[in-house]
Amino acid sequence: MTSGKSVRIAVLFEPGKKARPVWFELNRRQHRVQETTYHWQDCVGERQLLHYAVSDGDALYELVFDPADQSWTIHSQRTE
Amino acid sequence: MPDHRVILHLDMNAFFASVEQQANPELRGKAIAVVGGGGRTVITTSSYEARARGVKTGMAVWEGKRVCPELIVVVGDNRKYTYTSTRINEIFREFTPLVEAFSVDESWLDVTHSLSIFGSAETIAYRIKARILHQFGLRCSIGIAPNKLLAKLASDMKKPDGLTVIAPENVARILEPMPIQELCGIGKKMQRHLNMMSIYTCGELGRCEEGRLTRKFGIVGRRLKQMGQGIDESPVIPFGEEDAVKSVGHSRTLDRDIDDPAEIRRFLLQLSEMVGSRARRYGVSGKTIHLYVRYADFFSSWGKQTTLKSYINRSDEIYRAAISILNTVALEQPVRLLGVSISGLKHQADQLPLFEDERKKLWATQAMDTVNQRFGDMVVTLGSLLPDKESAGSHVIPPSWRPDGIKNIDII
């Protein structure tokens, strides 16, 4: 599973609502987000990171937005 | 306005597991267990589906899989849980400013003065449940009672998704047959002592002669009798007004049991750095250093402390003090857990050291703290910790965790 890899992404910003990832590209394949299943934030030093757990219908991905450098990365979900 | 207090106790049902099930729809309705990071595979919590199959907190993963072969193991993410808990406590504060977070998944609310605005306590409870379900998809159990002790007891009576009211007129009837171990504050050891006195139910505890209890337990005896009667005058203490913390500490269960002295010293250095870094962030230093060791058999442990002549908060000084304690003990078994704390705290005096070497150490520490505060804990750390930097953080949400930060630091 991919961890901390930058992704090309389309996100919908609507007034009064949380940002909503619409699709992202991983390994040159576009994944359309079916559902944002969870959202949370955390801080690394002074940087606040926004986490989105999203499903494309097949698998679950964690997308992370860093407002400091306007970057989106994809992180792994670990289950055994 | 009621003639008694109205307290709510909210308990998020199987909190960590429920958050994981919400985050991953594939896990919903399934038996899952949440484990901490690292090589240890002890179950931190499990879903109700897993509990129904016999999976219990504290079991090793292999034990869990033995009783429930389809058990799905999820590595927990404390950031997800603390963020969710903080947001949930914000919902509580929309109903009353008197919110006391007991832990990451439990809070008390004193809604006595909110009833004229929101209606009954049941209305408040249902509204809170609806908000949490709508925002996070999570369920909670709520107890409503005239005090904290009974509200907690009530929330434990129906899980998951319960709402239980203990009205003042029903307290005696409910407590009469209730086993004493159901009361918050009566652990296994206390239960054993009380059972030896032929006290098994709250009714029996409440009727017991106070002198008999105080002779056995000292001043706690009076409190025990009151608990048996359902009396608890303790207030709901909102964040910032609670008793101050008297120490700063970290402990860590190691990924595997270790007996190599060099490895033990390395973990002690890591803990000392974590303690020192936190103490410096709070601007405190301490005189008493405490070292705690738990052995591989889980049940044997020891703790020793030393009090220094001067106050310290630099990681290397804490480490040296911890090592000096360790050197006085011959380890009997491999080590499972290590803990370091400093106490006897006072506000740090910014006094420049007299000697240049000491001044350089102070400046290096300050530079390291500045970088870490900006870019994250342990981004810059001691060279000897580097190979294990990935697992440098504590995997446990500390008891001192609160929605708005860490509890007050006590000073002398």
Side-chain angles (χ1 to χ4, degrees), chain B residues 140-396:
Chain B
C140 62
S141 289
I142 300 183
I144 303 172
N147 61 48
K148 286 163 70 175
L149 177 80
L150 294 172
K152 169 130 177 71
L153 181 71
S155 73
D156 287 339
M157 286 165 79
K158 194 179 170 210
K159 287 183 175 182
D161 204 19
L163 173 58
T164 308
V165 181
I166 299 181
E169 61 272 22
N170 295 330
V171 172
R173 182 178 56 79
I174 291 169
L175 287 184
E176 182 56 38
M178 186 71 70
I180 46 171
Q181 64 270 27
E182 299 295 320
L183 292 174
C184 177
I186 298 195
K188 279 198 167 66
K189 209 168 166 183
M190 178 61 79
Q191 182 197 346
R192 222 169 24 244
H193 284 303
L194 290 168
N195 288 167
M196 281 165 68
M197 297 168 74
S198 298
I199 297 170
Y200 294 90
T201 67
C202 296
E204 289 165 349
L205 182 61
R207 279 192 300 277
C208 183
E209 192 202 331
E210 190 177 315
R212 204 175 151 219
L213 291 166
T214 47
R215 273 196 298 280
K216 174 84 178 166
F217 303 106
I219 50 167
V220 181
R222 182 159 186 265
R223 169 86 189 112
L224 284 169
K225 183 175 171 68
Q226 288 180 334
M227 285 168 76
Q229 295 170 327
I231 298 168
D232 176 21
E233 301 294 339
S234 63
V236 170
I237 303 167
F239 174 76
E241 293 174 27
E242 68 266 79
D243 287 344
V245 170
K246 293 178 169 57
S247 65
V248 178
H250 272 284
S251 66
R252 186 168 171 213
T253 301
L254 309 172
D255 293 346
R256 59 188 167 76
D257 302 330
I258 54 171
D259 52 8
D260 176 7
E263 253 189 297
I264 292 171
R265 283 198 297 272
R266 192 159 165 275
F267 278 112
L268 274 184
L269 180 60
Q270 181 182 315
L271 287 168
S272 303
E273 167 59 7
M274 291 161 81
V275 172
S277 158
R278 232 172 88 210
R280 295 191 297 273
R281 200 180 313 153
Y282 301 147
V284 294
S285 47
K287 245 179 146 166
T288 303
I289 313 300
H290 186 264
L291 174 66
Y292 179 79
V293 173
R294 186 183 291 158
Y295 288 127
D297 68 1
F298 193 85
F299 300 105
S300 328
S301 62
W302 57 264
K304 285 185 92 171
Q305 63 181 45
T306 180
T307 299
L308 308 171
K309 283 182 185 160
S310 55
Y311 289 89
I312 59 168
N313 68 5
R314 258 189 10 232
S315 309
D316 61 311
E317 294 170 323
I318 296 169
Y319 171 70
R320 273 202 301 275
I323 286 291
S324 73
I325 298 172
L326 185 69
N327 288 341
T328 64
V329 178
L331 295 175
E332 297 161 9
Q333 293 180 40
V335 172
R336 176 190 171 87
L337 177 142
L338 283 168
V340 174
S341 66
I342 60 170
S343 56
L345 303 177
K346 70 158 193 169
H347 274 306
Q348 183 183 342
D350 270 337
Q351 191 177 350
L352 206 59
L354 191 60
F355 301 105
E356 193 175 352
D357 276 358
E358 290 299 305
R359 276 204 297 275
K360 280 182 178 170
K361 278 184 190 167
L362 179 68
W363 290 332
T365 301
Q366 285 173 343
M368 201 163 93
D369 288 345
T370 305
V371 173
N372 286 338
Q373 272 169 34
R374 182 156 179 204
F375 295 103
D377 290 341
M378 310 289 273
V379 166
V380 177
T381 190
L382 305 162
S384 47
L385 293 179
L386 279 175
D388 194 37
K389 197 164 152 261
E390 284 302 308
S391 59
S394 173
H395 299 301
V396 179

Side-chain angles (χ1 to χ4, degrees), chain A residues 15-59:
Chain A
K17 290 185 180 176
K18 281 193 212 71
R20 185 163 64 85
V22 180
W23 57 257
F24 59 93
E25 280 181 0
L26 183 63
N27 300 330
R28 281 179 282 180
R29 200 186 126 210
Q30 190 181 88
H31 297 255
R32 192 152 280 277
V33 174
Q34 302 280 327
E35 187 187 356
T36 299
T37 57
Y38 214 75
H39 165 261
W40 70 101
Q41 297 175 19
D42 75 325
C43 290
V44 178
E46 291 174 355
R47 278 162 58 217
Q48 191 170 40
L49 302 176
L50 282 69
H51 299 251
Y52 298 82
V54 300
S55 165
D56 65 353
D58 289 329

